[in-house]
Amino acid sequence: MTSPGKAVSESQVIMPQRMLPQDANPAGNVHGGVILKMIDTAGSIVAMRHCRTSVVTASIDRMDFIKPAFIGEVIIIKASVNYAGRTSMEVGVRVEAEDLITGEIRHTGSCYLTYVALDKNRQPIQVPPLLLETEDDCRRNREAKARRESRLAEKHRERASQNETRAC
C-alpha cells in the first residue's frame, strides 16, 4: 500500500563536516572523491527518509565542481528529493564550503542522484508520491522531470547504438 505522500521538507538533510588533512588530494584541496562520498551518504539518507526502505544509488548526474574546497573548511551538503517516480527518486544536492574564520560560504558544487527503493528481498518497491510545498519545490520538480526525460532518451539512444550491426 502506498502512503498518501511525503513533503519535500520531511526528508531534507543538511550535513556539515569539517575537512581534515586526510581529505586532501595531491593538490592540497579537498579530494573530489571525499565530496562524492558525502554527497551519496546525504542523498541516500534523504531517499530512505522519503520511502522508509533501503535504497540503492542508480545514477549520479552531472557532478559540477564549481569552486575548490580547502582543508580546515566545513563542507555543508544540502539534499532533498526533487522528484518521485514509481520506484525511483531524484535527489538534488548542493555542496557549500564554509571558512570558519571569515564566515564566508561558497557554493562549490551540485549534482543529482537517482535512487531506487528496495523491499526486503532487494527488489524495487513503490515510493510515496512527493508533496510539493513551495515554489522552489515546484521548480525543482519541473526541472527533475525534464532531466528524467533526458536520461531516458539518452539510455534509449545508447541501447540503439549498441544494437547497431555496423562496425565503426
Side-chain angles (χ1 to χ4, degrees):
M1 176 176 7
T2 305
S3 79
K6 284 228 181 137
V8 172
S9 62
E10 292 182 69
S11 60
Q12 288 177 321
V13 164
I14 298 176
M15 189 175 87
Q17 185 168 329
R18 183 123 188 247
M19 295 293 97
L20 301 174
Q22 68 264 22
D23 300 318
N25 66 17
N29 302 334
V30 176
H31 196 288
V34 170
I35 293 171
L36 284 169
K37 184 175 189 296
M38 291 175 64
I39 286 169
D40 194 30
T41 298
S44 66
I45 290 169
V46 167
M48 290 180 76
R49 279 183 175 172
H50 182 76
C51 63
R52 294 297 178 191
T53 65
S54 295
V55 298
V56 64
T57 309
S59 69
I60 298 177
D61 281 7
R62 232 183 87 201
M63 177 61 211
D64 294 323
F65 291 100
I66 299 166
K67 293 181 179 172
F70 304 105
I71 301 310
E73 293 182 325
V74 172
I75 295 295
I76 305 160
I77 306 291
K78 297 179 178 180
S80 60
V81 177
N82 290 337
Y83 170 82
R86 192 175 60 77
T87 62
S88 67
M89 300 151 278
E90 181 193 275
V91 174
V93 178
R94 178 182 171 96
V95 182
E96 297 176 344
E98 177 184 359
D99 181 315
L100 291 172
I101 304 301
T102 67
E104 175 199 14
I105 296 176
R106 300 179 316 285
H107 178 205
T108 60
S110 294
C111 74
Y112 304 99
L113 301 93
T114 301
Y115 293 92
V116 175
L118 301 175
D119 66 15
K120 291 178 182 173
N121 297 316
R122 310 227 15 104
Q123 296 301 307
I125 189 172
Q126 193 166 354
V127 301
L130 184 63
L131 303 178
L132 307 172
E133 303 170 294
T134 68
E135 287 184 29
D136 274 345
D137 292 348
C138 292
R139 176 187 54 79
R140 288 183 183 117
N141 185 257
R142 274 192 316 275
E143 292 168 353
K145 286 177 181 176
R147 279 188 298 274
R148 182 177 186 274
E149 291 303 316
S150 293
R151 280 191 295 268
L152 292 173
E154 185 175 349
K155 266 187 191 177
H156 179 73
R157 283 191 305 273
E158 286 173 356
R159 286 190 180 131
S161 174
Q162 292 166 357
N163 291 332
E164 285 182 10
T165 56
R166 297 183 313 210
C168 293

